[in-house]
Structure formats: C-alpha cells, structure tokens
Amino acid sequence: MKSLFGKLADGTEVHSWTLENGGTRLKVLSWGGVVQSLEIPDREGRYANVSLGFDTIEDYVAGSPYFGALIGRYGNRIAEGRFTLDGESHQVDVNDGANSLHGGAQGFDKRVWDVEPFTAGSDVGLYLYLTSADGEMGYPGTLATKVTYTLTGQGDWRIDYEATTDKPTVVNLTSHVYWNLAGESSGSIYDHELEIAASRYTPVDSGLIPTGEMADVAGTPFDFRRPKTVGEDLRAAHPQLLYSKGIDHNYVLDKGITSEPEHIATLKDPSSGRTMRIATTEPGLQFYSGNFLDGTLVGSGGTVYRQGDALCLETQHFPDSPNQPSFPSTMLRPGQTYRTTTVHSFHA
C-alpha cells in the first residue's frame, strides 16, 4: 500500500509503502529508504513497533540521527574525509568533527529514492533505486544503486544491496535501524540480551576512527560471544567506552566475508520474548548502544528518546577501510558489481 507521507520544502513528495507478510509489518519511506516502523508480535501475539522513528517528514529532515535510514555512499567514518585511489587523492564531505560520517551531510539517507513494489512467490518487497552523480559529496564515479527490501513468507526482512560505478570509488552501504524489541517507546534496551559471533573488534581513537588494530574481545566489555545483557558491562572503566560514551564499535565477525548470509548476531528482549537473528555476507558489524540519544527528540510513540532507548546493529565493511590496508577492501571498479545481503529473522 502506497500513501503520501509528506512534502519536502521544495515541494517534492515523500511516499510511504506498507508491507505485511509472514507476521511482520514494515513501513518504508521513499526519503532515505527509511524504515519508519517495523512491527512484530510478542509471545502473546501482541504487536509493537520495534524501530525508532518519527511521525512526520519535517521531523526526519530537521534532525534525524539516521533513524531507519539507508546509509551511503560510505557507511561509518572516513578519517578527515580523505583517501587515495590509484594514486589520486580524494576529499569527501566532512560532517562529524574532523571526519566524514555516513556519506557526508547529504548522504543517501537524505535523498528521495525511486521505489517499485514487487511480489515473487510467497515474498513481497520493494526495489529502491538511487543514482549518485560523479563528485557528489566528493566521491568519484557515478554510482547506480539498487536496494531490495523483501518480506519473506516466514516474516524475515531481507536487504540486498547492489551498486555499479563508472570510475574507481569506495562503497559501504548499510541500514541504520534503531532497535528496541520491547517497543520503540518502552525505555532502555540495557536488559536486552545480545550475542555477537566475533572474537575481535576494532578499537578507535578519540574521534572514533579505528586505530588499525584488531583487538581480542576476551576480558573486555566488548565480549558478546555468549549472550549477556547490553547493560552488563556498559559502565565499566574501559578507555574505549569513554571515547564513545558506551559502545560504538565495529566487530570483526569470525566468519569473514561470505557468499551467502551466515548467522552473526542474536538480540532478545526477555520481557516480550521477541527475538531477532541477523545473518549477513558482510565481514563487520557496528554495534552502537544508543549513546548519543540525548532527550531532545520526540519519537513516533510520543515519548522522548534518551540514551540507551535503542541500539543499532549495522552490517558493514569496516570504518575507514580506504585508509586501512589491513582491513577488507571497499573499492569498487568499473565492470564490478557491489553486492551484499543481510537478513533479519524474528520470532517470539
């Protein structure tokens, strides 16, 4: 179902698309490919929206911290917005202190995508298309992007990313949903149980740029190899937690890059029984514990969002990879097709 969600200041219409399949309800905006809501049942069959968001396009434009958005061209940070490709230096938009974050001030999250619905067997979904011009936000090459949102007959939400370029460039696409499996207006996620299949993570400096090290999680607050509550070690006196006011770090997934999605994380809310399992082809997972929600935003449920009211689990390549030779490459060349897949499975 398609409906008008609102209009931008220049009159551009923003539409919403509502999908339902396999017990999952998904509402997507053409602005930023935003997941405006995702509803799943609890153990008693009661539905709740488990993603943070807003009720109006004006709120999204005014100051959304990437609620539910598609992120590009480069998810996460690039140090000083600089990198070199084939000996040529590139300067991209700096919008996070001295660094570039999530593609710059006018990244894919702030663009209106072309949206086309589809059905395929027992699946329903949306194709989202966006072309980014050569030089946009400083990135080289015209990038043609296609993202497919699928709700399967089992209620899984699958994301398939594709992109091609006409010049060498870097690409790192992801989704920035803020999750609270108890419901978006229910308060803290610190009692959620989380498990991540990663023995290492990438420590950062004070600007949240990776140092290049891949450090063991053993004996640190970053160890989620066995399920534990999100808040268990979040206030530990660890220097990495001080930099980001909690966890905002990339996990080096044990499985590495895979051709098909493999399970890498499980999030569970004990109070409702809602559980989400994530599988991906990507080598990294950015776990962000909602540290910068500061009580200045009112969400779709009519409550103020505060620190720890949601968390993000962003499947990705690593931050600052263009400047880190030891990290998996994010380079895309003409003739190649960027492809990654992430699947979210829900049950209670």
Side-chain angles (χ1 to χ4, degrees):
M1 185 174 66
K2 177 184 178 182
S3 62
L4 181 66
F5 186 73
K7 293 183 179 181
L8 302 179
D10 64 1
T12 301
E13 293 186 343
V14 174
H15 291 94
S16 67
W17 299 81
T18 303
L19 309 173
E20 184 170 358
N21 204 21
T24 300
R25 302 168 181 166
L26 179 67
K27 187 174 182 179
V28 176
L29 306 182
S30 56
W31 191 81
V34 162
V35 172
Q36 197 260 342
S37 67
L38 193 151
E39 298 179 63
I40 54 174
D42 66 6
R43 61 169 66 91
E44 305 297 331
R46 296 170 297 199
Y47 276 81
N49 173 25
V50 297
S51 66
L52 270 56
F54 296 120
D55 279 333
T56 70
I57 189 60
E58 289 79 12
D59 284 338
Y60 279 104
V61 172
S64 174
Y66 306 100
F67 283 154
L70 286 174
I71 302 297
R73 288 189 190 192
Y74 197 96
N76 223 303
R77 293 172 174 85
I78 296 177
E80 299 181 345
R82 297 175 186 168
F83 58 89
T84 301
L85 287 179
D86 297 337
E88 183 177 351
S89 179
H90 298 277
Q91 177 69 60
V92 299
D93 187 57
V94 170
N95 63 325
D96 183 54
N99 305 311
S100 183
L101 175 65
H102 294 333
Q106 296 296 318
F108 288 5
D109 60 294
K110 296 178 180 66
R111 299 283 303 280
V112 175
W113 293 63
D114 293 324
V115 183
E116 176 186 330
F118 72 88
T119 58
S122 62
D123 298 341
V124 299
L126 301 171
Y127 298 126
L128 298 100
Y129 300 95
L130 182 69
T131 298
S132 176
D134 181 23
E136 189 171 273
M137 293 290 102
Y139 286 90
T142 298
L143 192 77
T145 305
K146 176 185 178 183
V147 178
T148 305
Y149 286 169
T150 303
L151 278 189
T152 72
Q154 294 73 45
D156 296 348
W157 175 41
R158 176 181 174 121
I159 314 173
D160 292 283
Y161 304 88
E162 297 178 36
T164 57
T165 183
D166 59 1
K167 291 182 181 178
T169 193
V170 295
V171 186
N172 192 26
L173 306 179
T174 191
S175 170
H176 209 299
V177 173
Y178 283 67
W179 300 103
N180 185 325
L181 297 185
E184 65 81 34
S185 59
S186 63
S188 171
I189 45 78
Y190 291 160
D191 61 351
H192 279 37
E193 295 171 0
L194 178 63
E195 182 178 13
I196 302 174
S199 303
R200 296 179 295 166
Y201 76 106
T202 51
V204 296
D205 62 20
S206 60
L208 304 185
I209 296 295
T211 62
E213 180 187 5
M214 298 186 201
D216 290 340
V217 300
T220 77
F222 300 92
D223 192 351
F224 284 88
R225 291 173 296 173
R226 292 182 175 85
K228 71 176 183 182
T229 61
V230 171
E232 181 174 331
D233 297 320
L234 206 57
R235 301 188 186 278
H238 191 286
Q240 285 292 306
L241 297 182
L242 295 177
Y243 285 147
S244 52
K245 300 181 180 180
I247 296 177
D248 190 4
H249 290 73
N250 170 67
Y251 280 73
V252 180
L253 298 174
D254 291 340
K255 72 171 188 65
I257 299 172
T258 48
S259 58
E260 295 295 328
E262 293 187 13
H263 173 254
I264 54 94
T266 301
L267 182 68
K268 180 178 181 179
D269 168 41
S271 64
S272 66
R274 293 187 185 95
T275 300
M276 177 176 69
R277 290 170 56 87
I278 300 177
T280 190
T281 59
E282 290 278 53
L285 178 74
Q286 185 80 10
F287 169 29
Y288 167 56
S289 57
N291 321 319
F292 299 108
L293 296 173
D294 60 2
T296 61
L297 301 174
V298 178
S300 56
T303 62
V304 170
Y305 292 149
R306 297 190 181 277
Q307 186 180 54
D309 279 359
L311 59 81
C312 301
L313 297 167
E314 304 155 65
T315 55
Q316 60 172 17
H317 271 55
F318 303 171
D320 199 38
S321 290
N323 298 310
Q324 305 280 356
S326 64
F327 289 178
S329 175
T330 53
M331 179 180 286
L332 181 69
R333 294 186 177 278
Q336 299 176 332
T337 300
Y338 170 98
R339 287 189 178 94
T340 75
T341 299
T342 295
V343 181
H344 305 78
S345 302
F346 307 101
H347 67 273

